[in-house]
Amino acid sequence: MYDYCIVGAGITGITAASILARELGKKVVVIEKRDHIGGNCYDYVNEHGILVHKYGPHIFHTRYKEVWEYLSQFTEWIPYVHRVLAYVDGKYVSFPINIKTLEQLFDRPFSEQEMRDWIEKEKVPIKNPKNAEEMVISRMGWFLYEKFFKHYTRKQWGVDPKELAPEVTARIPIRFNRDDRYFTDPYQGIPKNGYNAMFEKMLEHKNIEVVLNTDYKEYIDAISFKRLVYTGPIDQFFDNMFGGLPYRCLDFRHQVIEEELYQPAAVVNYPGEVSYTRVTEFKHFTKQDSKKTALCFEHPKDHLSEKDVYCYPFPVREALEKYSKYKRLSKKIKNTIFIGRLAEYKYLNMDECVKRGLDIKNFANTQADQNERFNYLGL
Ligand SMILES: Cc1cc2nc3c(=O)[nH]c(=O)nc-3n(C[C@H](O)[C@H](O)[C@H](O)COP(=O)(O)OP(=O)(O)OC[C@H]3O[C@@H](n4cnc5c(N)ncnc54)[C@H](O)[C@@H]3O)c2cc1C
């Protein structure tokens, strides 16, 4: 008899398991269908000794002190501040757009005022942008849109930016200073021995059992538990009764080359017409010494089967409406909580997942329905 069954050994499920076992003394089973823990944050040391993130670059950043402090019990950190470059017109330029970007593009110095004046002239006056293209041109004009956003957004989502909600491009900042940090959170870093070494420590507890290579639906009737923490896709929980929720997926193509370094930053965006969107070179995170270097090219693709690596919920209204139906239904399931990026159908950074894991205490402190045996279709 377990107190809790947790579906999914991603960062959300692992944090929840750690809190429930360590702080609340609960007996927990974590069921994971992949052959590894860590979900999409999974990393491993490749055959050349280089630490690689299997599902694209993961940089930990947060403004929540409690999140940083919680994880710091299980890992030391490599200090790393993420700075992204974009490859435009044959040059590496700073991104998100700031004064340096214009200087690199135009090969001349800009003051803050000059940048403001330049952007003011470029901007297209649109009061209420209706789509992702209008959002960018209303904030910075056609020139920067064409260089940085048009092809990138089309590749990333597989549709013209005109067909996407304005919010998709609204969150990318434009800075009238020289701050070229990608994230501005006060706490940033990469776990010293990798995410998975940290996760293993989080799960190392007598009250936690982990079952890999197992779909929870095939296992759940064989075990007994009081409460469920579900971090898998919400539509699959309900057997897709309102239809599947769409995702944009990525094909992560890893390769090792015989060069010490390939590019000048950990992540370089390719907003031009090549088929990949960005390239990650992992040695920039760890500063590892090797004659070879490990790269990952990201090729966006459609979501064709449940086997694809789900990356981004598709930002269109119909998908969100469908999700709200599942969400309403999920509220009726007793003794169960739906948390994490797949269960909430929402892009979440890792720190937001950890926060949800820490907040599991609130759920645990509510009274369980003693007579209500959990039933995953018990509507
Ligand atoms: C390309 C990319 C780069 C990113 N980079 C960053 C970054 O730099 N910084 C950052 O903060 N965030 C980043 N993120 C976000 C980060 O990946 C997520 O916040 C995090 O992985 C979400 O964790 P999770 O536990 O909610 O979900 P997941 O990691 O998806 O874990 C859910 C787990 O549930 C399992 N599961 C699903 N269905 C079942 C089932 N039926 N039975 C059993 N198990 C099941 C899955 O196999 C999976 O392991 C990035 C995301 C992407 C796509």
Side-chain angles (χ1 to χ4, degrees):
M1 174 72 165
Y2 300 99
D3 295 306
Y4 281 79
C5 170
I6 299 183
V7 175
I11 192 167
T12 308
I14 290 172
T15 312
S18 175
I19 291 285
L20 289 167
R22 283 197 171 73
E23 301 203 0
L24 304 177
K26 303 292 182 192
K27 206 162 172 318
V28 179
V29 60
V30 184
I31 307 173
E32 169 56 56
K33 74 174 182 190
R34 298 188 202 183
D35 62 0
H36 60 72
I37 60 164
N40 275 9
C41 309
Y42 173 70
D43 58 11
Y44 61 96
V45 176
N46 73 6
E47 66 276 28
H48 305 285
I50 302 169
L51 186 70
V52 166
H53 301 177
K54 180 168 181 181
Y55 305 104
H58 278 73
I59 298 96
F60 196 85
H61 59 99
T62 187
R63 62 192 163 91
Y64 303 118
K65 191 166 184 245
E66 69 272 27
V67 165
W68 182 258
E69 285 180 348
Y70 191 75
L71 295 183
S72 300
Q73 297 174 59
F74 306 99
T75 187
E76 290 175 46
W77 299 93
I78 301 172
Y80 172 80
V81 176
H82 197 40
R83 290 188 165 83
V84 170
L85 297 175
Y87 191 70
V88 175
D89 294 344
K91 297 183 213 180
Y92 292 106
V93 303
S94 187
F95 191 81
I97 291 161
N98 63 77
I99 294 178
K100 286 185 189 176
T101 319
L102 292 193
E103 292 184 335
Q104 289 156 340
L105 282 176
F106 295 111
D107 247 336
R108 72 165 179 88
F110 271 77
S111 66
E112 179 190 331
Q113 195 52 50
E114 278 173 313
M115 178 170 178
R116 287 189 186 282
D117 294 344
W118 188 84
I119 293 284
E120 208 48 50
K121 271 193 234 133
E122 287 285 312
K123 271 168 37 176
V124 179
I126 301 174
K127 253 198 180 152
N128 295 310
K130 288 187 295 301
N131 56 51
E133 177 181 285
E134 288 189 1
M135 179 53 83
V136 180
I137 60 170
S138 68
R139 292 169 69 213
M140 52 189 100
W142 286 107
F143 179 82
L144 293 176
Y145 171 72
E146 300 270 347
K147 297 271 180 226
F148 291 91
F149 293 91
K150 182 175 165 180
H151 299 295
Y152 194 93
T153 312
R154 189 179 283 163
K155 281 190 285 187
Q156 181 79 341
W157 297 107
V159 294
D160 193 279
K162 282 195 203 74
E163 292 173 43
L164 293 168
E167 294 76 36
V168 175
T169 44
R171 64 191 172 89
I172 300 161
I174 172 161
R175 299 193 185 129
F176 294 92
N177 57 31
R178 293 175 176 277
D179 186 354
D180 59 356
R181 289 171 304 161
Y182 200 73
F183 306 117
T184 52
D185 291 323
Y187 305 100
Q188 299 191 31
I190 304 286
K192 190 170 173 197
N193 297 312
Y195 288 96
N196 268 56
M198 175 177 84
F199 294 147
E200 276 162 17
K201 285 201 177 156
M202 292 171 82
L203 292 172
E204 206 176 270
H205 192 278
K206 64 178 174 31
N207 284 356
I208 303 177
E209 205 174 305
V210 179
V211 181
L212 294 178
N213 296 306
T214 304
D215 189 315
Y216 81 100
K217 287 192 179 179
E218 288 156 17
Y219 193 71
I220 208 151
D221 287 336
I223 54 172
S224 179
F225 56 91
K226 295 177 187 154
R227 287 184 153 191
L228 183 81
V229 178
Y230 184 79
T231 76
I234 192 164
D235 50 356
Q236 288 173 27
F237 183 92
F238 293 105
D239 293 330
N240 294 323
M241 65 190 290
F242 303 123
L245 289 166
Y247 279 89
R248 188 70 175 156
C249 303
L250 290 171
D251 200 3
F252 298 99
R253 298 193 195 159
H254 287 268
Q255 57 172 281
V256 172
I257 58 165
E258 304 271 342
E259 275 178 46
E260 280 198 25
L261 275 184
Y262 173 75
Q263 61 188 28
V267 174
V268 173
N269 285 0
Y270 283 81
E273 289 184 71
V274 291
S275 58
Y276 43 87
T277 44
R278 55 180 189 170
V279 179
T280 302
E281 183 172 32
F282 296 99
K283 275 167 74 178
H284 288 277
F285 294 141
T286 52
K287 316 279 183 291
Q288 282 176 277
D289 201 13
S290 169
K291 293 263 174 268
K292 300 183 186 197
T293 192
L295 308 173
C296 177
F297 291 73
E298 286 176 34
H299 293 258
K301 61 175 196 174
D302 287 336
H303 164 202
L304 299 173
S305 94
E306 285 186 7
K307 289 209 173 81
D308 286 325
V309 182
Y310 295 2
C311 286
Y312 306 103
F314 214 91
V316 289
R317 187 174 301 118
E318 303 85 74
L320 294 175
E321 282 169 5
K322 200 184 276 181
Y323 166 66
S324 333
K325 288 191 193 168
Y326 284 119
K327 185 175 173 187
R328 270 199 298 279
L329 210 50
S330 73
K331 299 281 177 213
K332 297 185 185 165
I333 308 287
K334 299 257 166 80
N335 298 329
T336 303
I337 189 168
F338 294 76
I339 50 171
R341 64 173 196 114
L342 299 167
E344 298 176 53
Y345 193 60
K346 190 174 184 184
Y347 183 87
L348 297 174
N349 281 315
M350 288 182 279
D351 65 327
E352 298 167 284
C353 296
V354 174
K355 185 97 176 59
R356 281 156 170 75
L358 299 182
D359 289 345
I360 198 77
K361 279 184 247 177
N362 302 333
F363 172 63
N365 287 338
T366 58
Q367 195 66 40
D369 292 285
Q370 295 299 336
N371 301 321
E372 198 86 27
R373 162 89 173 86
F374 161 81
N375 174 357
Y376 75 94
L377 286 176
L379 309 177

mmCIF file of all heavy atoms in Angstrom, residues 103-125:
data_model
loop_
_atom_site.group_PDB
_atom_site.id
_atom_site.type_symbol
_atom_site.label_atom_id
_atom_site.label_comp_id
_atom_site.label_asym_id
_atom_site.label_seq_id
_atom_site.Cartn_x
_atom_site.Cartn_y
_atom_site.Cartn_z
ATOM 1 N N GLU A 103 24.524 47.196 -33.247
ATOM 2 C CA GLU A 103 25.928 47.520 -33.551
ATOM 3 C C GLU A 103 26.554 46.425 -34.405
ATOM 4 O O GLU A 103 27.292 46.709 -35.351
ATOM 5 C CB GLU A 103 26.710 47.682 -32.238
ATOM 6 C CG GLU A 103 26.263 48.916 -31.485
ATOM 7 C CD GLU A 103 27.059 49.188 -30.212
ATOM 8 O OE1 GLU A 103 27.625 48.229 -29.637
ATOM 9 O OE2 GLU A 103 27.108 50.343 -29.792
ATOM 10 N N GLN A 104 26.236 45.170 -34.066
ATOM 11 C CA GLN A 104 26.826 44.058 -34.828
ATOM 12 C C GLN A 104 26.233 43.995 -36.232
ATOM 13 O O GLN A 104 26.933 43.751 -37.209
ATOM 14 C CB GLN A 104 26.580 42.740 -34.089
ATOM 15 C CG GLN A 104 27.423 42.630 -32.828
ATOM 16 C CD GLN A 104 26.830 41.688 -31.780
ATOM 17 O OE1 GLN A 104 25.639 41.383 -31.783
ATOM 18 N NE2 GLN A 104 27.671 41.240 -30.860
ATOM 19 N N LEU A 105 24.937 44.279 -36.348
ATOM 20 C CA LEU A 105 24.296 44.222 -37.673
ATOM 21 C C LEU A 105 24.789 45.341 -38.578
ATOM 22 O O LEU A 105 24.998 45.145 -39.777
ATOM 23 C CB LEU A 105 22.775 44.344 -37.527
ATOM 24 C CG LEU A 105 21.991 43.114 -37.088
ATOM 25 C CD1 LEU A 105 20.520 43.468 -36.901
ATOM 26 C CD2 LEU A 105 22.121 41.985 -38.115
ATOM 27 N N PHE A 106 24.945 46.537 -38.013
ATOM 28 C CA PHE A 106 25.263 47.718 -38.847
ATOM 29 C C PHE A 106 26.728 48.140 -38.761
ATOM 30 O O PHE A 106 27.109 49.133 -39.375
ATOM 31 C CB PHE A 106 24.357 48.895 -38.457
ATOM 32 C CG PHE A 106 22.912 48.623 -38.765
ATOM 33 C CD1 PHE A 106 21.989 48.440 -37.744
ATOM 34 C CD2 PHE A 106 22.475 48.510 -40.072
ATOM 35 C CE1 PHE A 106 20.662 48.168 -38.022
ATOM 36 C CE2 PHE A 106 21.146 48.244 -40.363
ATOM 37 C CZ PHE A 106 20.224 48.064 -39.329
ATOM 38 N N ASP A 107 27.497 47.409 -37.945
ATOM 39 C CA ASP A 107 28.930 47.702 -37.846
ATOM 40 C C ASP A 107 29.235 49.142 -37.453
ATOM 41 O O ASP A 107 30.122 49.782 -38.020
ATOM 42 C CB ASP A 107 29.602 47.420 -39.212
ATOM 43 C CG ASP A 107 30.534 46.250 -39.103
ATOM 44 O OD1 ASP A 107 30.987 45.989 -37.987
ATOM 45 O OD2 ASP A 107 30.784 45.593 -40.144
ATOM 46 N N ARG A 108 28.458 49.663 -36.542
ATOM 47 C CA ARG A 108 28.733 51.013 -36.033
ATOM 48 C C ARG A 108 28.155 51.147 -34.628
ATOM 49 O O ARG A 108 27.241 50.398 -34.258
ATOM 50 C CB ARG A 108 28.139 52.085 -36.962
ATOM 51 C CG ARG A 108 26.631 52.185 -36.927
ATOM 52 C CD ARG A 108 26.182 53.494 -37.566
ATOM 53 N NE ARG A 108 24.743 53.656 -37.597
ATOM 54 C CZ ARG A 108 24.018 54.196 -36.620
ATOM 55 N NH1 ARG A 108 24.588 54.589 -35.489
ATOM 56 N NH2 ARG A 108 22.706 54.345 -36.742
ATOM 57 N N PRO A 109 28.696 52.086 -33.823
ATOM 58 C CA PRO A 109 28.172 52.214 -32.465
ATOM 59 C C PRO A 109 26.771 52.819 -32.422
ATOM 60 O O PRO A 109 26.408 53.600 -33.311
ATOM 61 C CB PRO A 109 29.171 53.146 -31.772
ATOM 62 C CG PRO A 109 30.130 53.615 -32.796
ATOM 63 C CD PRO A 109 29.809 52.995 -34.101
ATOM 64 N N PHE A 110 25.990 52.422 -31.435
ATOM 65 C CA PHE A 110 24.658 53.002 -31.190
ATOM 66 C C PHE A 110 24.599 53.452 -29.738
ATOM 67 O O PHE A 110 25.082 52.741 -28.853
ATOM 68 C CB PHE A 110 23.567 51.939 -31.377
ATOM 69 C CG PHE A 110 23.032 51.810 -32.775
ATOM 70 C CD1 PHE A 110 23.762 51.147 -33.758
ATOM 71 C CD2 PHE A 110 21.793 52.346 -33.120
ATOM 72 C CE1 PHE A 110 23.272 51.011 -35.046
ATOM 73 C CE2 PHE A 110 21.295 52.210 -34.408
ATOM 74 C CZ PHE A 110 22.035 51.544 -35.380
ATOM 75 N N SER A 111 24.003 54.606 -29.487
ATOM 76 C CA SER A 111 23.709 54.978 -28.102
ATOM 77 C C SER A 111 22.283 54.487 -27.815
ATOM 78 O O SER A 111 21.557 54.103 -28.744
ATOM 79 C CB SER A 111 23.782 56.491 -27.919
ATOM 80 O OG SER A 111 22.742 57.087 -28.670
ATOM 81 N N GLU A 112 21.881 54.561 -26.541
ATOM 82 C CA GLU A 112 20.517 54.129 -26.213
ATOM 83 C C GLU A 112 19.509 54.976 -26.995
ATOM 84 O O GLU A 112 18.554 54.460 -27.575
ATOM 85 C CB GLU A 112 20.279 54.273 -24.706
ATOM 86 C CG GLU A 112 18.882 53.867 -24.336
ATOM 87 C CD GLU A 112 18.509 54.203 -22.899
ATOM 88 O OE1 GLU A 112 19.396 54.248 -22.030
ATOM 89 O OE2 GLU A 112 17.305 54.418 -22.666
ATOM 90 N N GLN A 113 19.760 56.316 -27.024
ATOM 91 C CA GLN A 113 18.820 57.196 -27.706
ATOM 92 C C GLN A 113 18.738 56.889 -29.199
ATOM 93 O O GLN A 113 17.655 56.872 -29.783
ATOM 94 C CB GLN A 113 19.202 58.675 -27.468
ATOM 95 C CG GLN A 113 18.095 59.658 -27.829
ATOM 96 C CD GLN A 113 16.754 59.291 -27.158
ATOM 97 O OE1 GLN A 113 16.692 59.059 -25.958
ATOM 98 N NE2 GLN A 113 15.673 59.211 -27.951
ATOM 99 N N GLU A 114 19.916 56.585 -29.792
ATOM 100 C CA GLU A 114 19.911 56.262 -31.239
ATOM 101 C C GLU A 114 19.095 54.997 -31.508
ATOM 102 O O GLU A 114 18.371 54.908 -32.493
ATOM 103 C CB GLU A 114 21.345 56.061 -31.726
ATOM 104 C CG GLU A 114 22.047 57.370 -32.045
ATOM 105 C CD GLU A 114 23.523 57.142 -32.369
ATOM 106 O OE1 GLU A 114 24.176 56.406 -31.605
ATOM 107 O OE2 GLU A 114 23.996 57.691 -33.361
ATOM 108 N N MET A 115 19.243 54.042 -30.592
ATOM 109 C CA MET A 115 18.465 52.809 -30.778
ATOM 110 C C MET A 115 16.968 53.112 -30.670
ATOM 111 O O MET A 115 16.167 52.644 -31.485
ATOM 112 C CB MET A 115 18.863 51.741 -29.753
ATOM 113 C CG MET A 115 18.032 50.473 -29.907
ATOM 114 S SD MET A 115 18.652 49.104 -28.923
ATOM 115 C CE MET A 115 17.426 47.839 -29.277
ATOM 116 N N ARG A 116 16.610 53.895 -29.654
ATOM 117 C CA ARG A 116 15.186 54.231 -29.488
ATOM 118 C C ARG A 116 14.653 54.951 -30.726
ATOM 119 O O ARG A 116 13.564 54.631 -31.220
ATOM 120 C CB ARG A 116 14.978 55.127 -28.253
ATOM 121 C CG ARG A 116 15.122 54.369 -26.950
ATOM 122 C CD ARG A 116 14.712 55.202 -25.744
ATOM 123 N NE ARG A 116 15.002 54.477 -24.521
ATOM 124 C CZ ARG A 116 14.257 53.483 -24.028
ATOM 125 N NH1 ARG A 116 13.147 53.126 -24.642
ATOM 126 N NH2 ARG A 116 14.600 52.851 -22.921
ATOM 127 N N ASP A 117 15.439 55.920 -31.263
ATOM 128 C CA ASP A 117 14.986 56.675 -32.441
ATOM 129 C C ASP A 117 14.831 55.742 -33.647
ATOM 130 O O ASP A 117 13.866 55.824 -34.402
ATOM 131 C CB ASP A 117 15.986 57.787 -32.797
ATOM 132 C CG ASP A 117 16.050 58.849 -31.699
ATOM 133 O OD1 ASP A 117 15.124 58.879 -30.854
ATOM 134 O OD2 ASP A 117 17.027 59.624 -31.674
ATOM 135 N N TRP A 118 15.817 54.827 -33.784
ATOM 136 C CA TRP A 118 15.799 53.911 -34.936
ATOM 137 C C TRP A 118 14.564 53.004 -34.877
ATOM 138 O O TRP A 118 13.844 52.848 -35.855
ATOM 139 C CB TRP A 118 17.100 53.086 -34.940
ATOM 140 C CG TRP A 118 17.271 52.262 -36.176
ATOM 141 C CD1 TRP A 118 17.782 52.659 -37.372
ATOM 142 C CD2 TRP A 118 16.900 50.881 -36.349
ATOM 143 N NE1 TRP A 118 17.764 51.632 -38.292
ATOM 144 C CE2 TRP A 118 17.221 50.517 -37.676
ATOM 145 C CE3 TRP A 118 16.322 49.926 -35.517
ATOM 146 C CZ2 TRP A 118 16.993 49.236 -38.186
ATOM 147 C CZ3 TRP A 118 16.099 48.648 -36.033
ATOM 148 C CH2 TRP A 118 16.430 48.313 -37.350
ATOM 149 N N ILE A 119 14.319 52.445 -33.693
ATOM 150 C CA ILE A 119 13.167 51.543 -33.542
ATOM 151 C C ILE A 119 11.872 52.327 -33.763
ATOM 152 O O ILE A 119 10.938 51.851 -34.430
ATOM 153 C CB ILE A 119 13.166 50.878 -32.139
ATOM 154 C CG1 ILE A 119 14.347 49.919 -31.995
ATOM 155 C CG2 ILE A 119 11.832 50.187 -31.836
ATOM 156 C CD1 ILE A 119 14.214 48.590 -32.714
ATOM 157 N N GLU A 120 11.810 53.537 -33.245
ATOM 158 C CA GLU A 120 10.597 54.366 -33.397
ATOM 159 C C GLU A 120 10.260 54.532 -34.873
ATOM 160 O O GLU A 120 9.104 54.439 -35.278
ATOM 161 C CB GLU A 120 10.857 55.722 -32.708
ATOM 162 C CG GLU A 120 9.632 56.428 -32.173
ATOM 163 C CD GLU A 120 8.711 55.507 -31.353
ATOM 164 O OE1 GLU A 120 9.160 54.797 -30.438
ATOM 165 O OE2 GLU A 120 7.509 55.510 -31.698
ATOM 166 N N LYS A 121 11.311 54.760 -35.701
ATOM 167 C CA LYS A 121 11.073 54.944 -37.152
ATOM 168 C C LYS A 121 10.640 53.639 -37.820
ATOM 169 O O LYS A 121 9.873 53.632 -38.766
ATOM 170 C CB LYS A 121 12.371 55.437 -37.818
ATOM 171 C CG LYS A 121 12.473 56.966 -37.808
ATOM 172 C CD LYS A 121 13.584 57.435 -38.735
ATOM 173 C CE LYS A 121 14.536 58.336 -37.974
ATOM 174 N NZ LYS A 121 15.939 58.100 -38.126
ATOM 175 N N GLU A 122 11.188 52.528 -37.328
ATOM 176 C CA GLU A 122 10.914 51.223 -37.951
ATOM 177 C C GLU A 122 9.514 50.688 -37.627
ATOM 178 O O GLU A 122 8.886 50.010 -38.436
ATOM 179 C CB GLU A 122 11.929 50.189 -37.444
ATOM 180 C CG GLU A 122 13.317 50.360 -37.993
ATOM 181 C CD GLU A 122 13.421 49.893 -39.434
ATOM 182 O OE1 GLU A 122 12.957 48.794 -39.731
ATOM 183 O OE2 GLU A 122 13.956 50.646 -40.269
ATOM 184 N N LYS A 123 9.051 50.969 -36.409
ATOM 185 C CA LYS A 123 7.795 50.374 -35.920
ATOM 186 C C LYS A 123 6.615 50.653 -36.841
ATOM 187 O O LYS A 123 6.481 51.766 -37.343
ATOM 188 C CB LYS A 123 7.449 50.971 -34.546
ATOM 189 C CG LYS A 123 8.057 50.208 -33.424
ATOM 190 C CD LYS A 123 8.049 50.808 -32.066
ATOM 191 C CE LYS A 123 6.962 51.598 -31.517
ATOM 192 N NZ LYS A 123 7.219 51.978 -30.115
ATOM 193 N N VAL A 124 5.751 49.653 -37.010
ATOM 194 C CA VAL A 124 4.546 49.864 -37.825
ATOM 195 C C VAL A 124 3.406 50.162 -36.847
ATOM 196 O O VAL A 124 3.186 49.372 -35.925
ATOM 197 C CB VAL A 124 4.235 48.580 -38.640
ATOM 198 C CG1 VAL A 124 2.982 48.751 -39.479
ATOM 199 C CG2 VAL A 124 5.425 48.197 -39.504
ATOM 200 N N PRO A 125 2.711 51.296 -37.032
ATOM 201 C CA PRO A 125 1.672 51.614 -36.043
ATOM 202 C C PRO A 125 0.454 50.685 -36.154
ATOM 203 O O PRO A 125 -0.342 50.805 -37.071
ATOM 204 C CB PRO A 125 1.292 53.072 -36.385
ATOM 205 C CG PRO A 125 1.776 53.285 -37.784
ATOM 206 C CD PRO A 125 2.830 52.285 -38.097
#
